Amino acid sequence: MRPPKPGRIVTFYSYKGGTGRSMALANFAWLAAANGGRVLAIDWDLEAPGLHRYFRPFLVDPDLFETDGLTDAFWALAAAALASQPSQSRFPNSLDSELIIETFENATRQLDWKFATGGIIDFIGAGRQGQTYSEAVNTFDWKRFYDLGGAAILDVIKDDLRSKYDWILIDSRTGVSDTSGICTMQMPDIVVPCFTLNRQSIEGVTAILHSIREYQKASPAGLDIKFFPLATRIENAEKTRLEMARAYARTLLAQYLPEEFKTRGREYWDTMEIAYRPAYAFEEVLAAFGDATGAAGSADTMLAQGEAVARRITGNERLRAPEIVDADRAAVLKKYALGESSNSTTCGVPDSQDTASDTDFLRGLHIKEQQWRNSGFYWRRLLSRRELDLLTDADKKAFGRNMSYYLTQSESLYRYLRIVSLSAIIIAVINFVCSVLLTDRTIFINGYYDSQGYYHSYYSNPPIVIFLIFFMIIWVISSWLWSVVISRARPYGMSPLQQFLLVLRGPLRSEVRDYLPDASQSR
Amino acid sequence: MSPPTFFFSHARQDREMPGKYLTRFFEDLEKKVAQVSGIDLKESTLGKIDSRIEHGNDWDSDLSQGVAQSRTFLAVLTPLYFNRVNCGKEIFVFIKRSAPLQLDRNGALVGVKNLLPIRWLSWEAYTLNTVKDGRIPAILRRIEDVPSDAGGDPDRARLIEVYRKRGLEKLVRSGRRYDQLLEMLALRIRDMPDLQPIDPIHFADASDAFAVDWQTICVPQGNCGTTGIAFAAAAVAGATPRVERGAAEVLAAPPVPSASAAPVVPHPLASIVAFYVTRRSFSRDSVPVDFADQLIALSDDGTARMDPALADLIADVHAAGAAERLTVFHAASSPALPDRPGTLINRLAELSKIGVPTMLIVDSAVWSARQSDPAVATIESVATSSAWGGMTLVAPLDGRAPPTDMPAPLVALGARLVTLPQESGPRVAALRTLFVRARGQCMQVPVEPASGARRVPLLKGVAEARP
């Protein structure tokens, strides 16, 4: 399944640490994959690896103790490069494209989450964490690697990755190290420099962008690197200072904006800002799970801002965060909190197989709740008797507000139906009596008793027909009256006409329904 | 037909590697087998895994029943696996179900049914000095090590090649390849022929398959051709040169690599060659090499004649190298305590020149007879040689205290001379750091920049922006 367009390599960079660069990358990766993209996320911040923490619930080995990563891959590549030197006679041709590509594949793992659109996220960690990780990172000489032909190796890798993925995201080291140079100049098509609104950060980023531009001009290959500066950790306090800092940043960075925005700076900056949110500062959680999609006030969440940033960088105006069912969201948040890893192939199933069916059931309920809301609260979307019985008290307690409301409406539906069933009997009895009486009255008017006491009717129709006619009329009238009387008990979303029809049907209503959404009941 | 149950036999890893990929592989495999067989896992389980037993003393009746009655035996092979008594017993009981068995000339079992070995680690982990797959015990050499044959499909053949080279651990949850491999394995497990179950055998009554003398259990067989793809070191019958020994020893002789299995050689930056200087006994590996006078024999037969303290040291060195994913070669000069430094220095310098990290590991007992022994002076000149530049490690063995009065030139080496700890755990840790350091030094080997090699792009920060 190859993407038709070559992928683009995006490096997220920041001059100083703590700007939320890794978080921006992780959220971008998620949104791109959720909208159908094949994404590869690479943690190139070897000295302080942290990208893997955002993906903990989706990695088999969340602490990377057993997983090879970039450091290991580059040591293997250096070994192959050294072996293929002309001075080495023993290993001719040991460095070919296949080996390079395979070495990189060795370090790649796929995240354990099924996107409905078919997108995937592959991940390359910084390296196997352990007692010798630091030594391995610090003894790797990048200059020597380049002497051995490292640049050509990286070109091979770039071409291969571009053919396999739509988005290749690199989390770069901060500052001016050799790896940060490689990440911002050798590798990318797009650089997203993240900065906070203080002088040091802004000036640092400007200098770096200038440096990249110089490199671009000097390189023979006609490099075209686009910049998408991103302002992060913005706090809405100290308004005047904030405005000054914003203005300063916008002035300095104006010349580095993408071509189409050079004259539309305001439009650019309106969507390329990420606010400081304490909840996200303390814990590494993906915004897609930290924030609820479609929740009230959702325009002002990390997720919404992440969406805006992703739209800007990908150029896809239709990019949206997918709606995640509450059960899945809760399960993943639990995994973040407990530091557990995913141990199942289906998304969001934390426990053993015994509860797999329970979780399927709960997911089904959440889907129904969403359908109920989206269909304008059509009462047939409420839960069936059986589903309500299957829910435990613990489940009910664990539900959020929307789901609890949905439950109370489902329960009120059954209360309503119970009233209707009971009252149907009473109404029937009363109707019967009334009809008899009325028919009788008409008998008095419509016939006579002869001298022997036999009754003779003026009409040829037997009285039973009259009785039935009266019965029907009284039934309809009493149903309507009764539906008005019990209208308070009806669940939300039921119109008076539907109420009336229900009461009318009375005991002819079927009781049992399957808990899968009733596809035939369309609105 | 009974449900396709399988017994998942593996060696519990040490603390640093809790085996998350292993557990995950087991779960995925069980689900896949259930899927292809149409079995609901909520009603019955298919796989049996030992996730509880510490040392085999309470070999659960559940497990022993599993071995005795499961249809397939999945052995997750790692170097640790062959040393575990647990695993040996599990394999023994299962292999007995395939009776009658035969033993071929090279000590490999013929006629073992329903055993599916899994290559968990990459091929380097299974090499023994220069022999590829040398660590795989002789008895298993005839068993097919691939999930199934390619059947002419180039995609499949490629997958099998990747699997044999990289090992399954690297493929778990890596995408399409993993799914394909799982399917192949699941189908193989599903299609395994029925095997006669036996009564469960208690742990104490089972023997260790890797330690027992199979000659007494099996009938030795004459010429038998190789069947299918099996481990690389299985010698082709009839084409194997063997060291002529007594008849009883013939069957136990370790197989010499056949012409088709190319010897493993030290690779720059990816191997470690450790030269041991010691008076203790060891036997020489039968394969001659060009980078050292001799290699220390590590096969079962060889270690039987090795000094136990030396064997422990070598095991630690190998474990440290394996943990860093380096292939380790255990070499010595001939004689082990060299009388002239020249040859040894040349060997070390040659290897360093091509970028292979080397170490000199000296048994501290060598210094007990310092005054009279010329060999000691040789060691000193090797260690201080500038032609070589690598590290010398002093290993106190047998509970001896490390030597306190080292001669001045050695002390002047500073960081180039390291004394190893006595205990195995700290020793492995120290060795790991030293190996990585040595590898880093080797990267500094002078090279001519490749034609068209570019320079590392360097960012210019704020400081450089000022005029």
Side-chain angles (χ1 to χ4, degrees):
Chain A
M1 215 176 90
R2 279 165 189 271
K5 270 174 39 178
R8 276 174 279 178
I9 304 181
V10 183
T11 295
F12 284 72
Y13 171 83
S14 64
Y15 189 63
K16 306 280 289 177
T19 51
R21 178 193 75 243
S22 302
M23 180 160 65
L25 188 154
N27 284 325
F28 179 83
W30 191 268
L31 289 169
N35 283 269
R38 298 177 65 82
V39 179
L40 172 66
I42 305 177
D43 190 354
W44 212 305
D45 189 356
L46 305 179
E47 282 88 345
L51 187 57
H52 61 283
R53 299 194 51 73
Y54 288 93
F55 298 129
R56 327 198 258 301
F58 315 109
L59 289 170
V60 176
D61 177 25
D63 298 312
L64 302 184
F65 285 142
E66 300 174 62
T67 316
D68 277 350
L70 206 64
T71 311
D72 311 296
F74 274 110
W75 270 112
L77 289 172
L82 189 52
S84 67
Q85 292 293 299
S87 52
Q88 304 258 7
S89 48
R90 213 190 260 262
F91 313 100
N93 309 322
S94 57
L95 188 71
D96 57 1
S97 308
E98 217 177 88
L99 177 81
I100 298 173
I101 292 169
E102 215 179 272
T103 311
F104 240 60
E105 276 181 4
N106 257 350
T108 313
R109 302 275 178 174
Q110 197 163 92
L111 293 192
D112 201 7
W113 182 266
K114 276 199 174 46
F115 289 103
T117 51
I120 51 135
I121 303 182
D122 280 353
F123 175 70
I124 297 183
R128 194 180 279 236
Q129 303 297 299
Q131 69 168 111
T132 50
Y133 174 72
S134 166
E135 188 96 35
V137 168
N138 286 300
T139 49
F140 191 86
D141 187 342
W142 288 94
K143 295 188 185 55
R144 183 49 59 103
F145 181 66
Y146 264 66
D147 286 338
L148 292 169
I153 294 176
L154 288 174
D155 284 339
V156 168
I157 291 172
K158 276 165 68 176
D159 287 334
D160 178 61
L161 293 182
R162 282 202 188 108
S163 70
K164 287 189 180 133
Y165 298 99
D166 297 313
W167 294 101
I168 301 108
L169 311 175
I170 300 179
D171 190 10
S172 165
R173 178 93 188 99
T174 54
V176 287
S177 65
D178 35 21
T179 47
S180 59
I182 295 172
C183 292
T184 50
M185 295 192 271
Q186 165 93 39
M187 300 296 291
D189 303 310
I190 297 174
V191 174
V192 178
C194 305
F195 61 96
T196 50
L197 287 177
N198 62 58
R199 184 171 281 263
Q200 206 182 34
S201 205
I202 298 170
E203 288 182 354
V205 151
T206 315
I208 295 302
L209 293 183
H210 175 77
S211 164
I212 299 177
R213 271 277 164 81
E214 295 287 298
Y215 179 81
Q216 245 183 290
K217 286 190 203 138
S219 78
L223 239 51
D224 179 28
I225 301 180
K226 241 177 148 164
F227 302 127
F228 283 95
L230 178 62
T232 58
R233 293 184 76 101
I234 297 185
E235 280 181 89
N236 273 319
E238 306 261 357
K239 283 225 66 147
T240 34
R241 287 237 176 95
L242 180 64
E243 285 317 313
M244 276 171 55
R246 266 200 183 115
Y248 186 53
R250 289 176 191 195
T251 318
L252 283 194
L253 293 170
Q255 53 169 314
Y256 299 110
L257 292 185
E259 276 308 319
E260 59 269 31
F261 290 105
K262 286 237 164 82
T263 49
R264 295 188 287 152
R266 166 97 189 272
E267 199 185 308
Y268 175 85
W269 288 110
D270 275 350
T271 52
M272 288 297 272
E273 281 194 348
I274 295 189
Y276 172 73
R277 291 181 178 85
Y280 284 103
F282 288 118
E283 240 206 300
E284 292 98 343
V285 177
L286 284 172
F289 294 94
D291 296 328
T293 43
S298 62
D300 187 33
T301 54
M302 178 68 89
L303 183 59
Q305 288 193 316
E307 269 179 327
V309 169
R311 275 188 214 124
R312 182 65 72 224
I313 298 176
T314 58
N316 174 10
E317 286 301 317
R318 290 190 319 237
L319 186 141
R320 294 198 57 226
E323 187 141 353
I324 297 181
V325 168
D326 274 351
D328 292 338
R329 192 170 150 239
V332 169
L333 285 175
K334 183 171 151 201
K335 277 190 212 154
Y336 269 118
L338 297 179
E340 274 168 19
S341 69
S342 158
N343 57 7
S344 159
T345 47
T346 58
C347 44
V349 178
D351 298 320
S352 68
Q353 290 151 5
D354 312 312
T355 55
S357 57
D358 293 346
T359 316
D360 278 343
F361 169 59
L362 288 175
R363 288 185 69 222
L365 292 191
H366 281 88
I367 292 173
K368 280 197 111 181
E369 187 263 333
Q370 283 176 352
Q371 288 177 336
W372 180 66
R373 268 191 292 123
N374 295 335
S375 67
F377 309 108
Y378 185 47
W379 66 275
R380 279 204 193 277
R381 294 258 182 248
L382 292 168
L383 298 177
S384 66
R385 175 87 258 170
R386 189 169 142 229
E387 287 165 315
L388 281 174
D389 288 341
L390 284 172
L391 282 173
T392 62
D393 280 329
D395 289 329
K396 289 185 191 171
K397 275 211 192 88
F399 286 141
R401 210 174 45 158
N402 275 355
M403 202 57 202
S404 298
Y405 184 65
Y406 181 57
L407 270 188
T408 45
Q409 296 313 308
S410 307
E411 278 164 4
S412 71
L413 171 67
Y414 280 95
R415 247 178 287 127
Y416 184 79
L417 292 177
R418 230 186 352 252
I419 297 172
V420 167
S421 311
L422 283 174
S423 48
I425 301 165
I426 301 170
I427 292 177
V429 166
I430 296 175
N431 280 352
F432 186 81
V433 166
C434 290
S435 310
V436 163
L437 286 174
L438 279 173
T439 321
D440 226 26
R441 286 299 308 275
T442 59
I443 289 171
F444 290 141
I445 299 170
N446 296 315
Y448 63 95
Y449 286 100
D450 65 9
S451 48
Q452 274 110 5
Y454 290 113
Y455 176 75
H456 296 278
S457 161
Y458 290 135
Y459 294 97
S460 52
N461 297 332
I464 190 87
V465 174
I466 300 175
F467 168 75
L468 281 174
I469 294 169
F470 273 126
F471 191 86
M472 301 275 228
I473 296 169
I474 298 171
W475 183 270
V476 168
I477 295 172
S478 58
S479 298
W480 176 72
L481 280 172
W482 186 241
S483 72
V484 170
V485 165
I486 58 167
S487 66
R488 278 189 164 211
R490 71 176 157 95
Y492 186 75
M494 200 183 264
S495 72
L497 179 63
Q498 289 163 335
Q499 269 183 275
F500 169 58
L501 288 172
L502 266 181
V503 178
L504 201 62
R505 267 171 53 210
L508 298 177
R509 183 181 32 80
S510 73
E511 192 72 52
V512 178
R513 268 187 288 155
D514 204 293
Y515 71 69
L516 288 173
D518 203 351
S520 59
Q521 302 285 355
S522 52
R523 207 21 189 4
Chain B
M1 187 105 138
S2 57
T5 50
F6 61 94
F7 187 86
F8 195 86
S9 172
H10 68 105
R12 286 187 90 239
Q13 310 289 313
D14 9 85
R15 244 184 327 116
E16 205 178 296
M17 291 205 289
K20 290 206 156 103
Y21 285 110
L22 203 71
T23 321
R24 184 52 187 271
F25 168 58
F26 171 73
E27 287 168 1
D28 287 347
L29 185 64
E30 199 185 22
K31 286 205 186 96
K32 197 74 187 183
V33 175
Q35 197 183 56
V36 299
S37 325
I39 292 180
D40 188 353
L41 280 173
K42 287 177 269 214
E43 291 161 17
S44 55
T45 53
L46 291 174
K48 275 244 182 313
I49 184 172
D50 145 20
S51 348
R52 289 159 282 147
I53 310 293
E54 271 290 331
H55 197 45
N57 284 325
D58 340 273
W59 209 31
D60 206 22
S61 61
D62 197 40
L63 280 183
S64 62
Q65 211 171 41
V67 183
Q69 287 165 3
S70 297
R71 207 204 289 176
T72 311
F73 189 93
L74 220 71
V76 177
L77 302 183
T78 55
L80 233 50
Y81 188 86
F82 311 122
N83 289 332
R84 288 281 155 88
V85 176
N86 260 19
C87 306
K89 294 201 176 196
E90 284 167 7
I91 277 204
F92 181 82
V93 175
F94 191 82
I95 289 181
K96 291 277 282 186
R97 285 170 68 184
S98 304
L101 289 166
Q102 289 169 323
L103 202 66
D104 82 349
R105 278 204 297 188
N106 301 304
L109 288 169
V110 181
V112 176
K113 299 194 198 101
N114 291 26
L115 190 92
L116 192 55
I118 298 281
R119 280 185 175 275
W120 189 241
L121 300 172
S122 62
W123 66 272
E124 292 115 344
Y126 301 104
T127 57
L128 195 71
N129 273 340
T130 50
V131 178
K132 204 168 162 186
D133 284 345
R135 289 196 173 258
I136 312 275
I139 52 167
L140 297 177
R141 297 252 174 89
R142 279 298 252 284
I143 302 174
E144 266 194 36
D145 67 335
V146 289
S148 60
D149 62 54
D153 180 358
D155 201 30
R156 256 194 169 189
R158 180 93 190 97
L159 175 63
I160 291 176
E161 217 183 281
V162 170
Y163 161 66
R164 294 180 87 199
K165 206 166 141 199
R166 279 209 240 161
L168 189 52
E169 190 187 30
K170 294 244 165 34
L171 292 173
V172 173
R173 291 238 43 90
S174 63
R176 199 177 54 101
R177 280 216 176 102
Y178 180 57
D179 298 328
Q180 281 179 317
L181 206 52
L182 264 185
E183 201 174 311
M184 280 167 76
L185 285 166
L187 289 172
R188 175 96 185 267
I189 291 176
R190 181 194 70 177
D191 298 334
M192 278 286 193
D194 258 333
L195 186 66
Q196 185 70 9
I198 55 175
D199 289 327
I201 296 183
H202 196 265
F203 180 78
D205 301 330
S207 326
D208 183 353
F210 303 126
V212 83
D213 187 2
W214 284 95
Q215 290 174 59
T216 56
I217 305 173
C218 310
V219 176
Q221 205 189 35
N223 266 334
C224 43
T226 44
T227 49
I229 322 161
F231 293 101
V236 176
T240 323
R242 273 178 297 114
V243 176
E244 286 305 316
R245 301 189 199 169
E249 288 175 271
V250 156
L251 288 166
V256 175
S258 66
S260 56
V264 182
V265 288
H267 211 92
L269 296 184
S271 312
I272 289 263
V273 182
F275 282 85
Y276 294 84
V277 177
T278 179
R279 283 202 184 84
R280 296 171 197 262
S281 60
F282 61 84
S283 45
R284 186 202 180 107
D285 194 76
S286 45
V287 181
V289 290
D290 57 355
F291 56 87
D293 292 340
Q294 56 171 333
L295 291 182
I296 299 180
L298 295 171
S299 55
D300 288 335
D301 197 47
T303 44
R305 295 194 209 118
M306 199 187 295
D307 181 283
L310 183 61
D312 283 342
L313 174 65
I314 290 183
D316 283 348
V317 171
H318 201 94
E324 295 303 321
R325 272 92 62 224
L326 299 162
T327 24
V328 188
F329 295 87
H330 307 270
S333 51
S334 182
L337 216 47
D339 39 4
R340 276 198 298 280
T343 4
L344 188 51
I345 296 181
N346 282 344
R347 296 278 195 204
L348 291 166
E350 279 276 325
L351 285 169
S352 298
K353 210 170 64 158
I354 59 172
V356 178
T358 48
M359 302 220 146
L360 192 67
I361 304 184
V362 182
D363 182 354
S364 68
V366 159
W367 268 284
S368 58
R370 337 188 1 249
Q371 277 83 13
S372 47
D373 205 333
V376 174
T378 317
I379 297 171
E380 285 172 24
S381 45
V382 173
T384 51
S385 153
S386 54
W388 168 46
M391 284 187 266
T392 306
L393 310 181
V394 179
L397 301 176
D398 270 349
R400 280 172 209 272
T404 40
D405 48 347
M406 294 291 236
L410 282 182
V411 172
L413 281 176
R416 270 181 71 185
L417 183 75
V418 180
T419 306
L420 293 174
Q422 286 260 20
E423 273 93 61
S424 178
R427 189 156 65 182
V428 173
L431 283 165
R432 284 182 64 180
T433 320
L434 292 167
F435 287 172
V436 174
R437 212 170 285 164
R439 180 180 63 178
Q441 279 174 350
C442 279
M443 204 182 176
Q444 300 301 320
V445 144
V447 282
E448 272 177 37
S451 59
R454 284 137 46 193
R455 296 191 57 232
V456 178
L458 280 180
L459 284 173
K460 298 203 175 72
V462 180
E464 282 123 319
R466 305 240 181 283

